[in-house]
Each structure stands twice: as C-alpha cells, then as structure tokens.
Amino acid sequence: MSAPTVPYKQAASPSPRISANLQGLSANVRYKVDWGDAFTFVNSSLGLLDGNPWAWPASPNMRATSANIEPVGHKARGGIGSAPGEYYESAWVDVTFSSIVSTPPMSGEYPPATQFDPENPIEMSSFQVQYASESIKIPSGALKWAGTTATGGAQTIPAGVAKPGNGSDFYRSPCFSLSLTLHNCRYVNAAVFANKVGKVNQAAMWGCDPESILFDGVSTSRRDMSNGTGILDVTLNYKWKQTGWNVSLGTNGVLYRYATQAGNLVYSKADIFPTSIITPSMRWAPGY
C-alpha cells in the first residue's frame, strides 16, 4: 500500500540501519508518531487490513515486515491509561523493511507453497492439507483368485480353497482433507453458504473430478484491531475422495454411481468454490 495516512516523521537519529545477506536486504527505520496514532500507523504499515505492506520509499522492493512501538512523553495531566491517546504524548516506531530473495531452485519444478491451487490464487489465504486414505468395504462375492502372482508367474489355487472375500475385507483409496483459511474478512453471511454444506462440487475443481470434493463446513476466529474493529479469519473445510462421493462398490467389485429410489443424488451438487462461499464483498480491501 502507499504510505500510512496518519501523520509521521522519520527520525533523524538513529539513521536507517541496512543489512544484507544471501536471503536479501533488511532495513530498520525509526519514525515518530502521536501516541494516539501509533497502532493505526503500525496496522497500515504492515498491511494488516489489505494484505499489502508499505514499501520503503528509499528502496521500493523492501516492504514492512515487523514493527516495535515505544511510547514516550508523559502528558501533564497524568493518568495511568495506556490506550491510544492516553497518558503518553508520542511514540517511536521502529519498522523493519525486508526484501525477499529466492534461493536458487533445486532440480524439478515445485508449486508455490502459499497457494493450494497456484492456477487460481486466493488473496490473503493460507491452507493446511492432509493426504490419507479411506477404507472401502468390498462386498462378499466381489473377489476371485488371480491367475498370476505379483511377479507375473502362474498361480495355481488348490481345489477346495474357498473364494476370497467374505464381506469383511476392505481396500484403501486416496483422499485428502483441506482447511483453507481466508484472512482479513469483514463478515460472514451464513445465508450464502449454509445450504452448500454437505454438497459436492458441480464442476471440476482444483484438478479434481466433479462430485469428488465435499464442502464440510466453516469455522471462524476473530481478531481486533487497536481501534476495536474486528476482522475475521474464515476457514473452509473440504474433503476429496478419489472414488467420488456418489459411488459405491457393486457385488462384482466395480464402482458404480448411485442415486436414491426417487432418482436424486445422495450428495447434491453446488458451486462450492471458496469465492462463492466467502464472496469478495465479505473481504477487506483498500478503502474499507
């Protein structure tokens, strides 16, 4: 973002301290602001509202990454409050600006770790994903003995050996659970997404087939800015199954898509992409 909107002055002493290493440049710069504006100055410098930190005017490729506040100057009327504007007159704010220099890439190509789907990035987001497997029950009678071994040799089954599988066997199929957090949300509107919980993707999503991703719900956490403004981190939970959600193994061991006797899907389809659940109007943006 541009420079903070509250009044500030760069301190003449100490002068900016600049250091460099193989990870990039960093600079520590001291500013003086009114005590009542100190937290607003820090919030805007670090881009806590819009996700876009302040670029240091002396080197625009360096952006604010951290700040320390030191209130100074007691007001004559005294008091013991430490809220913005109380007791202290002004504050020194030491802002650290940093650049990010990529290390030489290793062989092979790797997607950015900051986005679950680099082809469809979502601003101010983070994610956690766990890849695992699920157990799928194999119906009785769905299996038979193979004619070859794993190495390709012939396999002979002696007479009298019972067929494999009695309805208590399972096989493992890939799945993953994804928690995608959208940071700095202004509010959530349950009316937008409540009827989408428990539904599956109506179109291909994140490279996964239709009906293979389930929207499993929403959770939120609140953080308060220094002026009392609340911002939300909203986590959307998804679960993907390689087999899909509207399928089951038939008695012959083949997966088939199923429906209710009335012809309806058990897991209905919907647009469950994150930006359809937490719409742009619910997110922070410059000007709010």
Side-chain angles (χ1 to χ4, degrees), residues 122-142:
I122 298 175
E123 294 295 331
M124 293 183 289
S125 67
S126 61
F127 70 92
Q128 290 184 323
V129 62
Q130 180 180 3
Y131 291 88
S133 62
E134 64 167 346
S135 296
I136 298 179
K137 191 172 184 178
I138 302 174
S140 178

Side-chain angles (χ1 to χ4, degrees), residues 192-207:
V192 173
F193 60 76
N195 65 347
K196 296 185 178 185
V197 177
K199 293 187 177 180
V200 295
N201 55 317
Q202 63 186 15
M205 180 173 165
W206 298 324

Side-chain angles (χ1 to χ4, degrees), residues 112 114-127 180 182 206 273-275 283:
T114 55
Q115 293 287 336
F116 180 70
D117 181 8
E119 298 299 322
N120 297 283
I122 298 175
E123 294 295 331
M124 293 183 289
S125 67
S126 61
F127 70 92
L180 179 64
L182 281 64
W206 298 324
F273 197 75
T275 52
R283 307 292 306 279

